[in-house]
Amino acid sequence: MAKVKLTEQQRSAVEDRGGALLVSAAAGSGKTKVLVERLFRYVTEERRNLDDFLIITYTRAAAAELRGKIAAELNKRLGEDPGDQRLRRQLLRVYQADIKTVDAFCTALLRENTHLLAREGDRHALTADFRVLDESEADLLRRRCLGRELEEFYVNLNEGGAMLADTLGAGRDDRSLEELVLELYEKLQSHASPEDWLARSREAWTDMPDNFDDTSYAAELLALARCRSAHWAALLRSGADRTAGDEALERGYGQKFRTAAACFDILARAETWEAARAAGGAVEFPRLTTPKGRKDDPDVAALKQIWETCKEGWKKLGEPLAVSGEEAMEDLRAVAPAMAALLDLTERFSQRYQQEKLRMNAADFSDQEHLALGLLVGPDGEPTELGRQVAGRYAEILVDEYQDTNEVQNAIFQAVSREGKNLFTVGDVKQSIYRFRLADPTIFLDKYSRYKFRGQAADGEPRKLLLSKNFRSRQEVLDGANFVFSNILSTQMGKWNTAMTNPSTSGRSTIRSQRAVRRSSI
């Protein structure tokens, strides 16, 4: 039987064995072809069966499509070699294989092992016939539970609770508070242990450092300021270079571009909050002087666009830098009781919602992930007996679209892959579009930064490789796309998803500022 034709990169991804493998696959690089061929190499060369593997995709449609492609490839190979009995036995196994979404995997695991969920003294625990709530049902139940929790919250207001209610509702209504609790609760579900995150956050608000530079907020804001300043400095320098040889344009534009770029260079190297504030104070955007008669010159228009882009960006970034470290710490201390009250309220709501679901013998999608993880990994972080059994079922775990995973899902993959030793992950962080569904592309980025390239890693050591050749688009399209994205994409783009706002000294603005920061860091 003739083997599938593969490029050198694809062949490496297909044949690599002996440890965790991360494949960074560009669009159109044939990652599905690689995944299917990798499976068949296991079947034909290593005497494995198709149902010896767990293959995770992120939608049911994708899972069905992948199963269809595997079945089609199997039929094609049987047509070339009808007498291959091993391939013939795979005809049934392809429909028994675990090719499914994370949700489907967790549902099946829970239904098989609900007896392990019950704890002594529990009034309610899921049984094998539990119902999975769809999103609309879950949303209605969440809002009903939160409404009841808010009634008790207002009856038992303490100082922090009163500040929280007054800041967000100002005595008019509690819709802002309700939406904030629901948003915080939803984002918590992407963590492997929401309870631990709440405990750490509560401790952070009750035991704050003396210096603003020692807070996570300063670190986040400084990292953002350095990244954007370096980007603006590069843009301004490139604009200044375009004025070379044009005396009038150099005088009216180029010199001002270089001066602003130099200021941003200093800000990009700032190591402390006060150093960043000092550098920011020197940033200026004076009026540009357009040479006479050149108002409509395309080169002039392009330079103006660069100037305005940097100027508008700086207006947003410069607002937080107007606040001193001492003022920022005063803000944080002032808002601490309200933030602690928000965390307490969210935790009580979470417990009430969980109890109501158990009473109904129901679970939502995030419940299934957390309950499944609890079955696989013990409180000490070690695999449970069930975890070892499940991991023993599979020769390899293959995860498609890995850039769209989150922390709890990643912990599940780790648990069923013998601590990641037989984990094959493939994805493209540039195609991460599910941040609004709590996907965390930094998981992919972290592994990519830590793993050595294949060929440099020792036996059994985690490694990475690239699938960079695009077979889907013409070279002209690729060149254009690469030019655009090489100028706008960065590692930090995968980390920040909200703009930072000014930590004001007023209670209301401070809460909103911390809310914006928290959205970036949860």
Side-chain angles (χ1 to χ4, degrees), residues 17 59 70 159 203 212 224 296 331 382 394 431 473 507:
R17 301 286 187 272
T59 66
I70 294 171
E159 179 186 355
E203 182 180 357
F212 184 57
L224 180 62
D296 298 324
D331 287 348
E382 294 298 316
Y394 302 113
Q431 297 183 59
S473 305

Side-chain angles (χ1 to χ4, degrees), residues 29 49 155 185 223 337:
S29 60
N49 295 308
V155 170
Y185 170 81

Side-chain angles (χ1 to χ4, degrees), residues 10 25-26 28-36 400-401 426-427 431 467:
Q10 291 173 335
S29 60
K31 66 182 178 68
T32 302
K33 176 182 178 181
V34 163
L35 193 151
V36 172
D400 195 11
E401 305 295 353
V426 59
Q431 297 183 59
L467 294 181

Side-chain angles (χ1 to χ4, degrees), residues 59-72:
T59 66
R60 284 177 288 183
E65 181 182 5
L66 181 57
R67 192 186 301 274
K69 288 183 177 180
I70 294 171

Side-chain angles (χ1 to χ4, degrees), residues 77-366:
R77 295 186 182 216
L78 275 171
E80 296 172 354
D81 188 2
D84 190 326
Q85 294 302 312
R86 182 161 190 79
L87 282 179
R88 190 166 295 280
R89 286 194 295 272
Q90 304 308 311
L91 285 173
L92 177 60
R93 293 178 182 271
V94 70
Y95 295 103
Q96 296 174 332
D98 281 339
I99 305 172
K100 55 184 59 172
T101 63
V102 181
D103 293 333
F105 171 77
C106 293
T107 301
L109 183 69
L110 290 174
R111 293 203 190 280
E112 292 174 4
N113 299 281
T114 48
H115 61 285
L116 298 177
L117 295 173
R119 299 289 185 269
E120 186 176 351
D122 279 355
R123 292 182 56 196
H124 302 291
L126 289 182
T127 60
D129 61 343
F130 70 86
R131 186 164 63 89
V132 180
L133 300 174
D134 63 33
E135 188 50 42
S136 60
E137 288 180 292
D139 183 61
L140 286 172
L141 184 59
R142 281 194 294 267
R143 291 182 182 277
R144 186 162 70 241
C145 290
L146 180 55
R148 294 170 183 168
E149 192 58 49
L150 284 172
E151 290 176 5
E152 296 184 12
F153 169 76
Y154 288 119
V155 170
N156 302 294
L157 276 181
N158 56 21
E159 179 186 355
M163 178 188 291
L164 179 65
D166 181 63
T167 301
L168 291 173
R172 293 186 293 274
D173 61 60
D174 54 17
R175 282 177 295 182
S176 295
L177 178 57
E178 179 180 338
E179 293 304 320
L180 180 56
V181 171
L182 289 172
E183 181 181 5
L184 178 56
Y185 170 81
E186 181 185 7
K187 292 189 175 184
L188 277 171
Q189 302 317 298
S190 67
H191 289 271
S193 178
E195 298 81 7
D196 288 348
W197 188 93
L198 283 168
R200 290 195 303 272
S201 298
R202 191 178 290 108
E203 182 180 357
W205 283 106
T206 56
D207 188 21
M208 284 187 290
D210 296 328
N211 193 322
F212 184 57
D213 281 326
D214 296 328
T215 67
S216 60
Y217 299 99
E220 192 80 8
L221 286 164
L222 275 173
L224 180 62
R226 287 194 292 261
C227 173
R228 293 188 176 174
S229 295
H231 174 64
W232 294 329
L235 277 181
L236 289 165
R237 272 195 301 272
S238 70
D241 290 344
R242 293 165 68 172
T243 68
D246 188 326
E247 184 177 346
L249 206 54
E250 164 68 23
R251 186 170 53 252
Y253 282 67
Q255 293 176 2
K256 295 170 184 176
F257 274 48
R258 291 190 180 89
T259 300
C263 292
F264 281 126
D265 280 332
I266 296 172
L267 180 52
R269 295 191 296 269
E271 294 295 330
T272 67
W273 185 252
E274 292 305 323
R277 293 187 68 234
V283 174
E284 292 183 352
F285 283 89
R287 185 183 182 88
L288 297 174
T289 306
T290 303
K292 187 175 181 180
R294 297 178 64 178
K295 180 180 178 182
D296 298 324
D297 187 323
D299 290 337
V300 170
L303 290 171
K304 283 183 177 179
Q305 182 61 48
I306 292 174
W307 188 257
E308 290 302 317
T309 296
C310 297
K311 183 178 179 180
E312 290 303 311
W314 170 243
K315 282 182 181 178
K316 296 176 182 178
L317 184 64
E319 289 177 359
L321 290 172
V323 179
S324 71
E326 290 184 3
E327 291 172 326
M329 285 306 303
E330 289 178 7
D331 287 348
L332 290 174
R333 293 189 186 99
V335 80
M339 297 306 296
L342 174 62
L343 294 169
D344 290 341
L345 175 59
T346 303
E347 185 172 40
R348 290 194 302 272
F349 155 67
S350 176
Q351 293 169 350
R352 182 186 289 268
Y353 178 45
Q354 185 66 23
Q355 291 167 1
E356 185 64 14
K357 286 180 289 184
L358 289 175
R359 186 189 67 78
M360 298 167 56
N361 194 33
D364 60 21
F365 293 121
S366 64

